[in-house]
Amino acid sequence: MQEIFHASLPRRAGIGLKPEHVRDILQTQPDIGFFEIHAENYMMAGGPMHHFLSLIRAEYPLSLHGVGLSIGGEDELDRIHLTRLKTLIDRYQPESFSEHLAWSSHDGTYYNDLLPLPYTQETLDRVCAHIDQVQDVLKRSILLENPATYLEFSASEMDEAQFITHIIQRTGCGLLLDINNLYVSGVNHGRNPSMILEAMPLDHVGEMHLAGHTVDSDSKGFPLLIDSHDGAVTHAVWLLYEQALSLTGRQATLIERDHAIPALEVLLAEAERAENYLAISQKRDCLKSKETA
Amino acid sequence: MKSHHFSTALLDASSALPEGITSIIGSDTNARFDVYRNNVMVSLIKVLQNNYPVVTTLVGEDFFRAMAKAFALANPPRSPVMNAYGDQFAQFILKFAPAESVPYLADMARLEWQCRVAGEVADRSTMNLEAVNTLLASPEALAASRWQFHPSVSLIDSQYAIASLWLAHQHESELEIAQALAKVNPYQAEIALILRYDLNVVVKSLQTGERIFIQALMSSHSLEEALKIANREDANFDFILLMGDLFSNGAFIGYLQNGGLK
């Protein structure tokens, strides 16, 4: 089934669906490209969560974003969890399913965080085997998200862009390019985020994420950015987004906010800002194609 | 790097950092590892707070965070489905000595857990009027009928007024909550009925006879048998009042007749 991924989310801005906004959305029907949900929040049998998601799904494209598969983990994938995921995908037929290049479970314990892994031949083989398994069960290609990391490993044999490029080549999955993660990791590891961006397999991007981060520093005075998802997208991340779009053209783009959830209007305004960047990038694409013609 | 070392260090702040982790030369690797430690613990505490909002209010956020942390260290999640995390919390609270001053805390946790379960069980259509009318037309069939509850229906027996306390905490404003709480004697034993009607979880306090009647129906006694048992145990049992209440809250999905659900 390893065919090339074709993103089917509209190349527009979307926002995360929050239970506190659902009634407002259904009433006002905002013009937004898509909604994204965390798969794990909808793994119950019935009740209000499914009721409202079904109503939203009837009106909007949907992106399903998993946080619990632990694709980068040493454990075997949790088959029960994979089955729950399959049930959810069958129920809602989302335009896209994505997961993380990270681990969250070990020895059966779930840590509820996206933890980092060394980039070695051994971990590459394991991640690819896990993605193959996921894609076989779900019968679709997935998008894999680059992580925000605070640490690296001396065992790593390649950088993140190389590691992800190998995964994409071997499994046929696509890339969920999280611009904020790219920026956070770049700064945390003392590298230039622009250069990491350019090294990424940009032909395989199926979606982008934008989010806010918290600026901190460690006891030695080195910057330590935290991928906190609790505030507005920062200026530096908008600039990196603009650069990314200049390299990839229009992409489905999510405004991610998981903590300190503001009023719906605030998220819609940030999505509109992303739409402006998308419009500029499209204009540039038109000009480029005219030049080549 | 073995994830084993990494994961052990995540939950044990006093343990040494796993070998083989690096950060920018000269930077503070400990501080960077602490971001992960903090993410794990803060997120698990937040999940528990979310799943147990009234328990949180009863003890205050600071106390709750300390209790939730102790729980998470002793019972880390085994599944990524976080809305199902904390099913052991009530048992933990029961043995958590610092919480002894709030004796009804563990029962409130049981109640909140059942509310959560009620909100998530599969959707079932409730009994329709036509089925009720058919039954009412034949007194014999009515007496012999065995009723099926909606999967969200459950009961909790407590030595404390957990249903009234829970209901008081559902008010919007602090003032309304305080006024409602002023009318509750926490040491009054209560039986809580929990169910989901339409999209909402409903909690009610039951009389003894009502509890006995519902339990009898749940253990497949016929309507007539259940009525007999309830009347025997509670002279004040009001059958009509309870049935009206149960119907208007969609408590039944139907009744069994000739092996089929009507």
Side-chain angles (χ1 to χ4, degrees), chain A residues 40 43-48 51-52 68 74 81 84 103 106-116 118 149-154 188-190 218-220 222-224 226 259, chain B residues 1-4 6-7 10-11 20-22 24-29 31-33 35-36 39-40 43-44 46-47 76-83 119-123 196 199:
Chain A
E40 282 72 12
M43 288 180 166
M44 65 285 283
H51 169 83
F52 286 114
E74 283 172 23
H81 193 60
R84 282 193 287 253
W103 60 279
H106 182 72
D107 214 5
T109 295
Y110 176 71
Y111 293 93
N112 201 31
D113 192 28
L114 299 162
L115 300 159
T149 56
Y150 310 106
L151 285 169
E152 294 186 304
F153 298 92
S154 49
N188 284 344
H189 304 312
D218 69 19
S219 65
K220 306 283 173 63
F222 282 84
L224 181 53
I226 317 281
H259 305 290
Chain B
M1 201 273 319
K2 288 283 168 236
S3 302
H4 174 70
F6 200 106
S7 44
L10 279 176
L11 290 184
I21 57 171
T22 64
I24 309 179
I25 296 167
S27 72
D28 178 357
T29 311
R32 284 149 201 271
F33 193 79
V35 176
Y36 292 110
N39 280 354
V40 170
S43 74
L44 292 181
K46 208 171 161 191
V47 164
R78 305 291 294 173
S79 147
V81 182
M82 284 295 98
N83 44 314
E120 298 185 347
V121 294
D123 301 318
R196 181 175 90 227
L199 298 173

Side-chain angles (χ1 to χ4, degrees), chain B residues 76-95:
Chain B
R78 305 291 294 173
S79 147
V81 182
M82 284 295 98
N83 44 314
Y85 177 52
D87 60 335
Q88 310 286 315
F89 200 40
Q91 286 111 293
F92 177 86
I93 292 173
L94 210 52
K95 291 180 192 149

